Amino acid sequence: MVKLAVQLKATLEGLTDLKPIGDNFNWLFKVRCSGCREEHPNWMGIDATETRDISGSRGEANLVWRCQLCKKESNVSFDDSFKRSSASYTAEDSEEQRFATLAVLECRGCELTEFDPKGVWSAKGAESGTAGAGVSIMEVETRISRA
Ligand SMILES: [Zn+2]
């Protein structure tokens, strides 16, 4: 099992606490099979509120995937010991130009290689707590690192 952190870096102007909305946010990843090292060509969505049965076990995972090439089954689940609900990208992270972790996932038999931040995100106004004029989010970069 490998634990991977989904990390984001961005330049926020007038905003803070950038985060995906909802526990059922559809996190889009590229997935690579650890058996044959083949990367699946399509983006795969993982939703923390959905679970699927793992073949040959009583376990469940948020994503169960079978590699088309080597037929090996692998699975991915959100690590609930990492509190996604309180994780966000803050104005301070932006000032420091550092990556912040937004989610941690446990991968068995596969690895996540890329994260696409597509979807609905929320942010707060940096000063007043409400979004105002002249706010922007620029230079968004994402990466997957070992957690
Ligand atoms: Zn494979």
Side-chain angles (χ1 to χ4, degrees), residues 32-38 65 67-72 109:
R32 184 204 290 141
C33 173
S34 302
C36 67
R37 313 297 296 164
E38 184 75 8
W65 170 65
C67 174
Q68 292 305 303
L69 210 69
C70 71
K71 309 296 179 198
K72 190 173 171 290

Side-chain angles (χ1 to χ4, degrees), residues 62-146:
N62 295 121
L63 176 78
V64 176
W65 170 65
R66 188 174 295 278
C67 174
Q68 292 305 303
L69 210 69
C70 71
K71 309 296 179 198
K72 190 173 171 290
E73 187 180 281
S74 57
N75 64 77
V76 182
S77 283
F78 283 92
D79 177 359
D80 289 326
S81 66
F82 178 84
K83 292 280 165 251
R84 283 191 311 286
S85 54
S86 52
S88 67
Y89 194 80
T90 65
E92 197 189 334
D93 293 327
S94 171
E95 267 162 40
E96 303 282 329
Q97 278 296 289
R98 68 188 172 206
F99 281 89
T101 298
L102 297 174
V104 175
L105 293 102
E106 299 176 342
C107 304
R108 291 176 183 81
C110 66
E111 269 176 57
L112 307 173
T113 55
E114 277 182 77
F115 167 59
D116 182 349
K118 199 182 277 177
V120 185
W121 293 63
S122 69
K124 284 193 250 177
E127 305 297 317
S128 59
T130 54
V135 300
S136 67
I137 299 166
M138 290 176 297
E139 294 158 50
V140 177
E141 278 178 63
T142 62
R143 72 179 184 194
I144 307 279
S145 332
R146 297 253 161 174

Side-chain angles (χ1 to χ4, degrees), residues 16-37:
T16 190
D17 293 346
L18 178 67
K19 56 155 90 181
I21 293 181
D23 204 32
N24 64 347
F25 184 83
N26 191 38
W27 301 73
L28 289 175
F29 296 105
K30 285 276 180 74
V31 182
R32 184 204 290 141
C33 173
S34 302
C36 67
R37 313 297 296 164

